[in-house]
Every structure is written in C-alpha cells, then in structure tokens.
Amino acid sequence: MKTEMQVLERLKAVIATDLVGLQEIEEGISIERFDEKNVEIDFPDVDSMRRPTMLYIQPDYENLEPLGMHSDLATLRATVFILCKGAPNAILVRRTFALYSALYLLVRGDPTLGGFIEDARITDMDYYPAVTASATITAIEANIDLQWSKEF
C-alpha cells in the first residue's frame, strides 16, 4: 500500500531532480544550483529558508472514494509554495514565475510521477508579490491533487 508520505516524498524527489531542467534559460533568472535541499515537506518559514529559492510541499487534506472491495481512490490535496528571495524584485517575480512554469510542465509532462501514482494535476495558483510585508521575498502557491489507488 502506498502511504501519503510515500506519495509526498515521491513528489519531492521528482521536483528536486527534474524541475530545473524544465525552466527556461534566462540570464539572472534561472536557478543553477537546485537539489533535494531546495524542497521540503513542511509549511514555509521564510525566516529559516536554507537557500534563496525554496519549494515547500504542505499536505492539506485527503478525499477517499471506494474503488472496490480492497481499494480506495485516494486524492491528496497539497500546496506547493515557491519562495524566492535575495535579488531585486523584478528578478524575483520572473524567477518565481519561471519556476511555476517549470512545475506546471513537470506535472503535465509526467502526471504519474514516473508511474508511482495514477494522476497529478495543478488545480490553481496564487501569486504573492511580497511575503510577510517584505518586498524582498516573492511567492507562488500552487494547489496540486495527487491521486492513486490505495490498496488495503
């Protein structure tokens, strides 16, 4: 049986390895150093960001629908927060949107996360030009639904 944490860990791993390769290359905007330390399964804390660019995956809720005698269709809603800091605001805006576009391409291009789940889709996003009254941190919040067959 796949657990919720296994699904979240898989999303984290796919983002850490594949996200940067999908971003458009643009001088001063593109992220060059990006790995598993840029992605956490946690609520975003701008005061303890390890790096200037971080993605946080926060599980929100789960819906279960019966599929059969021994399985349910699990839909886990998670929020992916993209936070960027440490550059002029014009660059932060472009970098944040470049990372969101790469996340969108990642999910649309491989909605099964390498065959691990049945489907993933981004349902909506919100843009925040300033976080915690700071003009030096820009963020995007993207909601993503992760679906898989939960056997028991």
Side-chain angles (χ1 to χ4, degrees):
M1 176 177 85
K2 290 182 188 117
T3 67
E4 289 73 14
M5 279 310 297
Q6 288 172 327
V7 171
L8 292 168
E9 288 289 346
R10 179 61 181 196
L11 176 62
K12 175 184 175 179
V14 169
I15 289 172
T17 58
D18 299 343
L19 185 74
V20 171
L22 294 171
Q23 72 176 335
E24 292 185 26
I25 306 300
E26 188 174 344
E27 184 67 36
I29 304 301
S30 304
I31 307 299
E32 294 164 13
R33 181 177 158 206
F34 191 92
D35 56 33
E36 69 279 349
K37 292 181 181 175
N38 289 84
V39 186
E40 292 185 7
I41 300 171
D42 198 0
F43 186 78
D45 180 0
V46 296
D47 295 327
S48 66
M49 286 175 60
R50 290 189 214 176
R51 295 186 176 171
T53 299
M54 292 290 299
L55 276 77
Y56 294 92
I57 302 167
Q58 174 191 299
D60 294 325
Y61 63 87
E62 182 178 58
N63 182 38
L64 298 167
E65 298 176 37
L67 276 179
M69 294 292 290
H70 299 287
S71 64
D72 289 330
L73 178 64
T75 303
L76 178 64
R77 167 64 63 95
T79 302
V80 177
F81 295 91
I82 302 168
L83 281 84
C84 297
K85 69 177 184 178
N89 195 47
I91 290 175
L92 293 177
V93 171
R94 293 171 60 116
R95 184 175 293 154
T96 305
F97 273 96
L99 288 168
Y100 171 73
S101 294
L103 179 66
Y104 177 82
L105 290 173
L106 179 112
V107 172
R108 291 293 290 166
D110 183 13
T112 65
L113 305 179
F116 194 76
I117 62 172
E118 317 252 333
D119 188 43
R121 66 187 168 279
I122 294 175
T123 59
D124 56 276
M125 78 80 127
D126 290 309
Y127 167 67
Y128 299 98
V131 177
T132 63
S134 172
T136 60
I137 300 176
T138 301
I140 285 181
E141 174 183 319
N143 292 310
I144 184 168
D145 285 346
L146 306 160
Q147 285 189 326
W148 73 99
S149 176
K150 192 169 182 165
E151 312 289 330
F152 54 88

